[in-house]
């Protein structure tokens, strides 16, 4: 017997059928009731960014495509209330053990990218010191996925305090830690994809040096 990492109720050792479907054979540490609150991206989603329920390009992708940018993003979960709660606990309350919950799904979702170099979206030094860990590398570590910390981030205003337009127009805050010998295929990994602004900024840095194949991934969209 063990307790659910999210709601603390005692869990049966045996997994239910739906837990097996949802999580595979791994021990996620989360009970059936909590699992049921997360929603995977629907079959019908934006072909560019995986936004759930969209027929064709979503509003955000329309914007990026009109700017001559490409979007090649994959995500696993919808950013619903349960996911918001999860990130609130994991990121802002520093509940570090929660990095493990989605490790198996992330590992599985990244299998098709075995020939890509995984580059996590970084935190600024200030934010890193405040939080004590990077939530993206935390999940990658839990999933035992190797990655390269090639991006750095300068301190800036918190994204959540800005409007959608402000976020879309954000100035470059990322920088390349080391510009020499970048591989052709790079997969940028973030925790949440909101408008795509963050990932577009990071992508732009890599595109500047040469025509790289850059795809992006997030746990939630
Ligand atoms: Zn639970
Ligand atoms: Zn889209």
């Amino acid at each position: 017997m063990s307790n659910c990492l999210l709601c603390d109720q005692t869990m049966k050792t045996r997994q239910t059928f739906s837990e097996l479907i949802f999580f595979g054979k791994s021990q996620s540490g989360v009970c059936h009731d909590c699992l049921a609150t997360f929603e995977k991206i629907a079959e019908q989603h934006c072909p560019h960014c995986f936004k759930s329920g969209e027929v064709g390009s979503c509003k955000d992708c329309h914007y990026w495509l009109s700017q001559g940018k490409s979007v090649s993003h994959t995500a696993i979960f919808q950013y619903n209330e349960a996911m918001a709660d999860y990130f609130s606990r994991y990121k802002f309350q520093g509940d570090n053990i929660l990095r493990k919950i989605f490790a198996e799904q992330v590992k599985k979702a990244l299998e098709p990218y075995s020939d890509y170099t995984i580059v996590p979206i970084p935190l600024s030094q200030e934010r890193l010191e405040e939080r004590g860990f990077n939530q993206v590398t935390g999940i990658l570590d839990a999933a035992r996925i190797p990655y390269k910390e090639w991006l750095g981030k300068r301190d800036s205003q918190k994204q959540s305090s800005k409007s959608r337009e402000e976020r879309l127009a954000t100035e470059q805050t990322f920088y390349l830690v080391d510009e020499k010998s970048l591989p052709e295929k790079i997969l940028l990994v973030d925790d949440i994809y909101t408008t795509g602004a963050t990932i577009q900024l990071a992508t732009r840095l890599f595109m500047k040096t040469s025509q790289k194949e850059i795809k992006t991934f997030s746990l939630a969209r």
Side-chain angles (χ1 to χ4, degrees):
M1 295 287 239
S2 58
N3 286 18
C4 171
L5 292 173
L6 292 177
C7 71
D8 206 34
Q9 73 168 299
T10 311
M11 294 192 294
K12 304 177 295 299
T13 331
R14 284 192 56 146
Q15 288 177 298
T16 64
F17 183 66
S18 59
E19 279 166 337
L20 280 169
I21 295 293
F22 197 81
F23 271 111
K25 270 186 290 187
S26 71
Q27 295 298 312
S28 67
V30 179
C31 77
H32 177 70
D33 294 343
C34 289
L35 283 188
T37 61
F38 296 103
E39 288 171 273
K40 288 214 166 165
I41 303 276
E43 278 294 310
Q44 187 177 292
H45 53 252
C46 171
H48 308 289
C49 73
F50 264 57
K51 186 173 179 139
S52 218
E54 297 283 333
V55 188
S57 297
C58 72
K59 187 170 122 191
D60 294 321
C61 289
H62 263 300
Y63 173 81
W64 296 118
L65 298 176
S66 76
Q67 300 290 303
K69 308 268 172 34
S70 68
V71 181
S72 183
H73 187 78
T74 310
I76 309 175
F77 293 100
Q78 297 180 39
Y79 188 70
N80 65 4
E81 209 187 315
M83 195 52 85
D85 285 349
Y86 165 74
F87 275 113
S88 159
R89 285 180 60 181
Y90 176 38
K91 284 159 73 167
F92 301 110
Q93 297 170 26
D95 214 341
N96 216 347
I97 196 164
L98 297 179
R99 65 173 59 189
K100 291 179 180 173
I101 289 177
F102 298 111
E104 275 307 309
Q105 285 107 315
V106 169
K107 195 171 180 56
K108 205 155 179 270
L110 295 188
E111 271 169 12
Y113 301 98
S114 59
D115 56 337
Y116 282 72
T117 303
I118 310 282
V119 178
I121 297 293
L123 298 180
S124 68
Q125 198 54 37
E126 188 188 57
R127 190 77 64 242
L128 189 61
E129 278 163 21
E130 183 184 288
R131 190 170 299 162
F133 66 100
N134 176 336
Q135 70 278 4
V136 181
T137 59
I139 292 171
L140 291 172
D141 286 336
R144 296 205 174 90
I145 293 165
Y147 54 85
K148 303 281 186 195
E149 292 186 272
W150 285 339
L151 282 175
K153 190 173 190 284
R154 293 180 195 91
D155 288 320
S156 69
Q157 218 189 332
K158 272 189 182 170
Q159 285 287 314
S160 51
S161 65
K162 296 178 190 173
S163 70
R164 181 172 175 277
E165 284 68 29
E166 282 172 325
R167 284 202 304 269
L168 289 174
T170 303
E171 287 301 305
Q172 185 60 270
T173 53
F174 295 110
Y175 58 90
L176 286 172
V177 173
D178 183 0
E179 290 211 29
K180 61 174 189 284
S181 70
L182 290 173
E184 281 309 307
K185 293 179 166 187
I186 292 171
L187 182 74
L188 292 172
V189 176
D190 207 355
D191 51 356
I192 304 161
Y193 185 108
T194 309
T195 60
T198 300
I199 261 172
Q200 283 294 341
L201 283 176
T203 303
R204 202 199 299 167
L205 267 185
F206 287 108
M207 298 304 279
K208 221 173 60 182
T209 45
S210 70
Q211 225 31 46
K212 306 283 182 196
E213 187 178 326
I214 303 185
K215 296 195 173 181
T216 61
F217 171 86
S218 63
L219 180 64
R221 172 26 169 152

